[in-house]
């Protein structure tokens, strides 16, 4: 974590100490998966959230399409990378 991240984390330590998320240390392979998948998946999440929130699409009617798109972009690989890092930390 860089200095800005540490400063931000410290700023909230007194406010929500019981809700802090652990810092995860990723292997190079996990970092590669995150780099490859994270931005594309975040874009799809934002795209569909906007459609749903502004009434441009029905959540129920487009959910399967949304999940298919997310999975095609490596969602399961991304979940696996975070899960592996979390399991090592525990």
């Amino acid at each position: 974590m860089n200095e800005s991240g540490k400063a931000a984390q410290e700023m909230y330590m007194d406010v929500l100490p019981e809700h802090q998320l652990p810092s995860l240390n990723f292997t190079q392979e996990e970092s590669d998966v995150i780099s490859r998948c994270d931005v594309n998946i975040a874009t799809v999440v934002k795209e569909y959230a906007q459609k749903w929130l502004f009434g441009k699409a029905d959540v129920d009617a487009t959910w399967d399409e949304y999940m298919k798109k997310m999975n095609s972009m490596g969602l399961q690989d991304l979940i696996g990378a975070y899960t592996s890092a979390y399991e090592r930390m525990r």
Side-chain angles (χ1 to χ4, degrees):
M1 182 181 307
N2 65 27
E3 292 304 314
S4 296
K6 289 178 186 175
Q9 185 179 27
E10 287 176 20
M11 184 169 50
Y12 289 100
M13 288 181 122
D14 295 334
V15 180
L16 298 171
E18 69 273 8
H19 297 291
Q20 290 181 21
L21 296 174
S23 295
L24 299 177
N25 294 311
F26 299 103
T27 64
Q28 184 60 51
E29 182 180 347
E30 292 161 351
S31 293
D32 291 345
V33 167
I34 292 166
S35 293
R36 185 182 79 239
C37 300
D38 199 36
V39 173
N40 293 332
I41 288 173
T43 300
V44 172
V45 169
K46 289 175 188 173
E47 172 190 332
Y48 276 82
Q50 287 177 358
K51 287 179 184 180
W52 296 331
L53 290 171
F54 293 113
K56 302 282 184 188
D58 179 73
V59 176
D60 293 328
T62 57
W63 185 258
D64 290 339
E65 169 190 313
Y66 169 71
M67 289 306 301
K68 184 177 179 181
K69 198 168 197 179
M70 297 281 282
N71 284 322
S72 75
M73 294 184 155
L75 178 62
Q76 297 308 314
D77 294 336
L78 186 63
I79 291 170
Y82 276 93
T83 301
S84 294
Y86 177 76
E87 290 298 324
R88 277 194 311 279
M89 188 238 9
R90 292 178 35 182

